[in-house]
Amino acid sequence: MQLPDAEAAYKNLIAKIQADRCEGFILVGIRTGGAWLAKRLHRESANTNPLGLLSTSFHRDDFDKIGLHAQMKPSEIPFDVNGAHILLIDDVLHTGRTVRAAINELFDYGRPASINLAVLADRCGRELPIAAQYSGTVFELPSDQMLELKQNEHGKFIFRLYAKGVPE
Amino acid sequence: MINRNPQLDEQGALQHLLTTEGLPASILLQILDTAESFVGVTERDVKKVPLLRGKSIFNLFFEPSTRTRTTFEIAAKRLSADVINLNIAVSAQSKGETLLDTVNNLSAMNADMFVVRHSQSGAAHLIAKHVRSDIHVINAGDGSHAHPTQALLDMFTIRRYKQDFRKLRVAIIGDILHSRVARSQIHALTTLGVPEVRVIAPKTLLPRMVERLGVHVYHDMTQGLKDIDVLMMLRLQSERMKGANLPSQEEYFKYYGLTPEKLLLAHHDAIVMHPGPMNRGVEIDSAVADGKQSVILPQVTFGIAVRMAVMSILAGQSVARSAE
């Protein structure tokens, strides 16, 4: 199938976020695709707040199935979460389970005033009551397909589609 | 049949942690890298992650130990596991129960992991061979054989302060003969590519043919400490010394105790480590133990993160297998 253009989705996403005057938000990207996206949004929207990076490894609900990710990296939250308005950022929104884990991880650092969600692609198929406030593109994919964000050597975004079979 | 390392499963993943001997560098580094993620957990509002929720970890201590048992207990609790401490030295075994009967009974209580400390070398191996394949065993010290989590936390500490193992000169100093810590350190250091590992000790406190482990032997601190980047002190284990290996603790301190003057012989930014508990004035002078080159207290902090990493890697391993 024809995948949407990831760069076009990015331009759409940043325009939506800026239209909402979100400069008070603290951006927090979910590793690894969401971290790339958050870094670029942080730079290109000239957000002056510190940038957070989040690992969901400790709160994943599939630890009982796949164990710990071999190359896990720690969360980096260089600000006080208590009272913060956070814009959580991920590359692909699918079942909503990663976002649930990310919210749990954030609450281990404190009690934020609010959390909003921005994603580059919403591929539908939710299994939890989670929705993104901002999405670059929305389309449906069969559940046996995996959508991943890649970066080329110039830092441009590309979507890649895989058949599911190897666990994430 | 290939004689597989009893710590690894068919896929080469960690099934038990019994010794650093024979573990590939990739596994040692996996543990150190995973531990990096756990260091930050203790600095959060919520010092706990839910990875091992619902798992039961039994601390089987057949030999008294407060510090090691406590660090394993803290690590397990920060992973949300249920921890059961058994001080077996004063319970079942004194009533005549065998080691494997004790383990069978605890397995019947649905244990997921055993942390074993025993005065006999090989006790943890024996238990690991005996338990069901979904139960994991961590050796918390067996006789004078191995103490792998101590060695791993030492490697973690060295990497934090010195980054690259391949550029280091490391000296292990003191009672090598009785030390399971030293053996585990030597195997880990050489596997991780440290080009020069020295042991410094009087002849009476060195095992026979220790050179075969790939170390350089020194009996004199003045020569042995030259250009050293990492000093790993050992506790003088007077409780394990049968007969007279040493004239006196005072004489030992004179020749092998680490004083500020002797530390000057090493590299100027060398770090000083000790696995604890320290005998101040026997193997180490207080001015060094509390000095700016000492990383002894960071070792304790990192020990929790390293044990959390080992436990979560092992627990994740059993789920990966049962899902197949």
Side-chain angles (χ1 to χ4, degrees), chain A residues 57-59 63-65 67-68 72-75 82 105 107-110, chain B residues 34 37-38 41 44-46 48-51 55 312 315-316 319-320 323:
Chain A
S57 301
F58 294 148
H59 290 280
F63 177 74
D64 277 354
K65 293 195 179 67
L68 214 53
M72 64 187 286
K73 282 191 170 167
S75 295
N82 290 297
E105 174 83 1
F107 273 77
D108 284 353
Y109 288 87
Chain B
T34 306
S37 290
F38 286 112
V41 169
R44 300 180 184 185
D45 273 16
V46 180
K48 216 172 165 87
V49 295
L51 285 179
K55 302 273 188 275
S312 51
V319 298

Side-chain angles (χ1 to χ4, degrees), chain A residues 107-126:
Chain A
F107 273 77
D108 284 353
Y109 288 87
R111 182 175 186 270
S114 69
I115 302 178
N116 280 279
L117 177 63
V119 299
L120 195 58
D122 178 350
R123 54 166 290 184
C124 306
R126 219 76 78 239

